[in-house]
Amino acid sequence: MRILGIDPGLRKTGFGIIDVKGQQLQYVASGTIVVPTEQPLAARLQVILEHIRELASLHQPTHSAVEQVFVNSNPHTTLLLGQARGAALCALADSGLVVHEYTALQIKKTVVGKGHAAKEQIQLMVQHLLRLNGTPAPDAADALACAICHAHHAPLQQQLQHNNSLSAHTLRTRGGRFIGK
C-alpha cells in the first residue's frame, strides 16, 4: 500500500508519501508546496490542486489521507484553510483516490501516543518511525504523520468492512479510537 498524506494550508501545504509492507513503513518522498501569497486566492488554490495532482501522477499512491480542518478562533482563517483543503481533496479525488480523513488529535495520538503533542515531537517520531537521517520540515512531518496514521488505521477499517460486523459508515471515533454506534 502506498499512502499520500496531505497537511493542507493556504501558504504551505505539506505532503508525505510512504509505502506500507506488513508492519514496515518505508519513506518514499515528502516536502512542502509553497504557495505564492501575492497571487489571488483562485490562483493559489490552483497551485495546490496542480501540485497534488502531479504528486499523485508521479508516485501512484493507492490510498490518501488528509488532516481535517479544526475550527479556529478566526472564522476568516478557518474559511481560507477550508478552501485550501478543498483544493487538495479535489486533486486527490480527480486522481481517483479515496480520501481518508483524520483529526489532528487522531494523528498525534497514533504517531506520538498523546493527542496534544508539540510539532517537534511529531517531527522526531516521524523521523524515528521512518528511519530518516534528518528531521523533516514541520509541514512535511505533519503530512507524513497523517500517512502513518492511515497506515495504522487502514487494516482495522478494511477488516471491519470485510467481516461486515460493522460497516465503515457506522464507525465513530472517541479520543482517537474507533468505537461502534
Side-chain angles (χ1 to χ4, degrees):
M1 166 170 51
R2 177 166 282 188
I3 305 168
L4 169 56
I6 301 290
D7 177 38
L10 195 54
R11 292 185 188 136
K12 294 179 181 178
T13 292
F15 67 89
I17 303 163
I18 62 170
D19 282 335
V20 182
K21 295 175 183 149
Q23 296 295 321
Q24 294 291 344
L25 303 176
Q26 183 177 5
Y27 174 84
V28 175
S30 66
T32 304
I33 301 165
V34 179
V35 183
T37 57
E38 69 279 354
Q39 291 186 354
L41 178 61
R44 294 167 74 186
L45 295 173
Q46 184 178 14
V47 168
I48 295 168
L49 181 100
E50 289 175 353
H51 277 82
I52 293 175
R53 272 187 188 153
E54 186 178 319
L55 287 166
S57 175
L58 177 65
H59 293 285
Q60 297 293 306
T62 57
H63 291 75
S64 68
V66 178
E67 186 174 324
Q68 287 181 346
V69 174
F70 65 93
V71 177
N72 194 316
S73 59
N74 182 341
H76 181 70
T77 303
T78 303
L79 180 62
L80 290 174
L81 178 58
Q83 290 173 329
R85 189 171 174 278
L89 292 172
C90 286
L92 295 168
D94 189 52
S95 299
L97 293 166
V98 175
V99 179
H100 301 272
E101 301 174 56
Y102 299 96
T103 64
L105 181 73
Q106 285 176 300
I107 295 167
K108 290 175 181 181
K109 204 164 200 172
T110 300
V111 174
V112 178
K114 62 181 189 173
H116 299 287
K119 284 245 185 219
E120 296 80 17
Q121 289 174 300
I122 295 167
Q123 289 174 282
L124 290 173
M125 281 306 295
V126 165
Q127 180 183 4
H128 174 73
L129 291 170
L130 297 176
R131 296 173 300 285
L132 302 175
N133 291 329
T135 306
D139 295 300
D142 288 348
L144 287 166
C146 191
I148 292 167
C149 179
H150 183 65
H152 288 283
H153 287 272
L156 174 62
Q157 291 171 342
Q158 290 170 350
Q159 186 65 39
L160 289 173
Q161 287 175 346
H162 178 72
N163 291 343
N164 277 337
S165 59
L166 290 173
S167 63
H169 65 276
T170 62
L171 287 177
R172 296 181 305 139
T173 58
R174 181 181 304 143
R177 296 174 189 225
F178 286 109
I179 58 173
K181 263 191 165 178

